[in-house]
Amino acid sequence: MHTEHNAQAQQAPGQDPAGQGWGRELRATLGLAWPLALTNLSQIALVLTDTLFLGRIGELPLAAVTLGGNLYFIALAPAFGAAFAASAMLAQERGRVSHHMREMRRTVRAALWLGIPLFILLGSLLWNAGAILLATGQDPALAAEAQRYTRALLWGMPFFYGFAVLRGFLAALERPAPALWVSALAILLNAVLLWLMVAEGLGFPSMGVVGAGLSSAIANGAMLAGLAFWIARDRNLSRFRLMGRLWRADWRRMREAVAVGLPIAGSMLLEIGIFSATALVMGWFSPMAVAAHAVALQVASACFMVPMGVGQAATARVGLAAGAGDVAGVRRAGWVAIGLGGGFMAATAAVLLLAPHSVAALFLAPDMAETRTLAATLLMVAGVFQLSDGVQAVAAGALRGLKDTRMPLLFAALGYWGLGLPIGLGLGFTAGWGPLGVWIGLVAGLAVVAVLMTLRWAQLTRPGRVALGEWAAQAG
């Protein structure tokens, strides 16, 4: 399955004369999703570890990492868009089987080339994080500390992007495990570096937020190097010769990646942006509100990484079936993934609703009682939107497998910014509900997006729809 010869000798994914069946699809999706989900958790664990270390120092460093981290993930949206577009392209190319090694190699190369202009543009944005935060009305001391963090963190951005592209390549081959093991080692490396540079391990003076940013950047570099080394050393993966003729730009594939990836980037920017805008709004209340928001957001983000991984698996499974021209396989892959993502988030919702104070206590020192109480309240609200957040993430991933990215962009604009933010601001300030009202607005926005995404998937894959020609055209 992992070599060129036996991959071509086997039937393409989704082409099963007897019908794969829902049980087989469930097993295939689970086998692909859990390493992807754990890999995503490892990504959030880098920032989460920063939060755990800095939360013990004080509210200002914690708030600075929260605001700086939000800007960082906003800046990453175009990079995510390009990487996810490449993942969808790679899955469909493998689904078509014929000459898939050559086609996949060219797509990886084109995606890596896109990283150069992306880093120049996005790195310039993060370098001036302080001015951006001041323009949004943040406290000058908080803005300055956040800029120190982003200027250290941004050097890991090109490494993370390269890692994301290679991870998409492995997902299309249904071999996600190497990315997981490399990410797990990066978490340990990040923790050691934080202990040395932030927590004054071995007597070194604390570098504060700068040390936190540098530790994450170094960990991202180690992740890319480790995954590239793994691919080069693997007998089957090395046959793709991904770095072969790397200097040759494939402009057609780059244009396709941009065309598919821009709406994805826009959707992610709108989603990340609404949470980041919420963090900025918290800064208008107080540093305590920002710190409480940071805890609730980190927990919600950690939970979100699982349906995000299921959504990535859905992109691969749907893309493989679409490339192979299997309409029934496309439908099964998407609905199985949506059910898995929704089921997991329903379980996390129960935890957050039943034990919010215990979760908040993991992040905040005992003497921060008021902040703990507010964080617990926001965690309960996060529990309410878990199900809709998971469903919309997986449905978006399934739609990416069909390269359907423009309508999800419109849904995100309407749900997050047309409804969620205005409702949150109205409840938070006009109604006087404070931070709680802002988070209730997030619940409303996510619910609308989840419903629209699911209806879109149902429309495109409903029985009897003549969609095979459309998917074949997109795949070709």
Side-chain angles (χ1 to χ4, degrees):
M1 178 178 181
H2 306 310
T3 65
E4 179 179 20
H5 297 294
N6 60 22
Q8 292 184 9
Q10 292 178 355
Q11 291 173 319
Q15 290 181 329
D16 185 350
Q20 278 191 331
W22 294 87
R24 183 177 298 181
E25 182 60 42
L26 176 61
R27 291 189 295 272
T29 302
L30 278 173
L32 181 57
W34 75 263
L36 289 171
L38 290 178
T39 303
N40 290 335
L41 283 169
S42 71
Q43 301 304 306
I44 202 69
L46 294 178
V47 179
L48 186 63
T49 309
D50 294 349
T51 302
L52 288 171
F53 272 85
L54 293 170
R56 301 294 173 176
I57 297 177
E59 290 180 351
L60 180 62
L62 178 58
V65 169
T66 300
L67 293 181
N70 282 329
L71 283 180
Y72 176 74
F73 282 110
I74 288 175
L76 272 181
F80 272 121
F84 284 163
S87 180
M89 293 164 61
L90 288 164
Q92 290 198 4
E93 285 161 0
R94 182 178 173 235
R96 290 196 295 273
V97 178
S98 178
H99 305 299
H100 74 281
M101 295 184 74
R102 181 184 65 194
E103 299 301 311
M104 293 177 74
R105 176 172 61 249
R106 290 177 176 176
T107 296
V108 169
R109 184 172 62 201
L112 292 175
W113 267 92
L114 279 177
I116 298 175
L118 283 173
F119 176 64
I120 294 174
L121 173 65
L122 304 176
S124 301
L125 174 69
L126 289 176
W127 190 259
N128 297 289
I132 296 172
L133 292 172
L134 285 175
T136 63
Q138 299 303 310
D139 178 77
L142 183 57
E145 194 77 350
Q147 178 172 278
R148 295 178 65 222
Y149 177 67
T150 58
R151 286 188 174 182
L153 183 64
L154 68 87
W155 299 109
M157 180 181 291
F159 303 124
F160 175 78
Y161 173 72
F163 173 82
V165 171
L166 295 183
R167 181 180 61 181
F169 162 73
L170 292 174
L173 293 175
E174 298 182 281
R175 292 195 59 183
L180 170 60
W181 305 129
V182 168
S183 298
L185 292 175
I187 295 174
L188 296 176
L189 174 62
N190 186 51
V192 171
L193 292 174
L194 283 168
W195 179 65
L196 292 173
M197 294 191 286
V198 177
E200 303 182 18
L202 299 181
F204 292 107
S206 175
M207 297 175 64
V209 295
V210 174
L214 284 176
S215 66
S216 293
I218 294 171
N220 281 323
M223 281 169 25
L224 174 60
L227 194 56
F229 179 77
W230 192 312
I231 292 173
R233 296 285 295 179
D234 186 281
R235 183 182 63 183
N236 298 318
L237 297 175
S238 63
R239 296 182 181 184
F240 283 83
R241 296 187 294 112
L242 295 182
M243 300 298 109
R245 299 182 179 180
L246 185 61
W247 61 89
R248 294 182 58 181
D250 191 323
W251 301 109
R252 182 187 68 80
R253 276 181 171 76
M254 289 176 69
R255 287 194 297 270
E256 182 180 358
V258 170
V260 177
L262 273 179
I264 299 175
S267 298
M268 298 193 69
L269 186 60
L270 291 171
E271 182 175 1
I272 296 172
I274 192 65
F275 286 98
S276 300
T278 303
L280 297 177
V281 171
M282 293 298 166
W284 298 342
F285 291 112
S286 67
M288 181 196 72
V290 177
H293 171 82
V295 171
L297 184 59
Q298 289 293 342
V299 173
S301 298
C303 295
F304 177 76
M305 291 300 105
V306 174
M308 184 178 177
V310 178
Q312 290 170 301
T315 298
R317 295 294 301 169
V318 170
L320 289 168
D326 182 1
V327 178
V330 166
R331 186 179 301 117
R332 277 194 302 270
W335 285 118
V336 164
I338 290 172
L340 282 174
F344 174 83
M345 292 301 263
T348 63
V351 174
L352 295 181
L353 289 171
L354 294 174
H357 292 278
S358 299
V359 176
L362 296 174
F363 297 87
L364 299 168
D367 59 350
M368 302 169 67
E370 191 176 355
T371 307
R372 274 192 181 189
T373 301
L374 179 56
T377 301
L378 298 183
L379 283 168
M380 292 184 69
V381 180
V384 174
F385 70 61
Q386 289 295 287
L387 182 59
S388 57
D389 200 17
V391 169
Q392 67 84 19
V394 180
L399 291 170
R400 282 197 296 269
L402 298 179
K403 299 182 183 177
D404 182 65
T405 58
R406 295 180 183 177
M407 288 302 293
L409 172 60
L410 297 178
F411 297 157
L414 172 63
Y416 300 139
W417 293 88
L419 296 174
L421 185 60
I423 291 173
L425 292 176
L427 292 176
F429 291 95
T430 305
W433 291 13
L436 174 61
V438 176
W439 270 65
I440 290 176
L442 293 179
V443 173
L446 284 167
V448 169
V449 175
V451 171
L452 292 176
M453 290 284 196
T454 307
L455 290 176
R456 174 67 173 174
W457 174 257
Q459 177 193 28
L460 290 182
T461 61
R462 68 179 185 269
R465 179 182 173 87
V466 184
L468 180 58
E470 299 171 15
W471 299 339
Q474 290 177 335

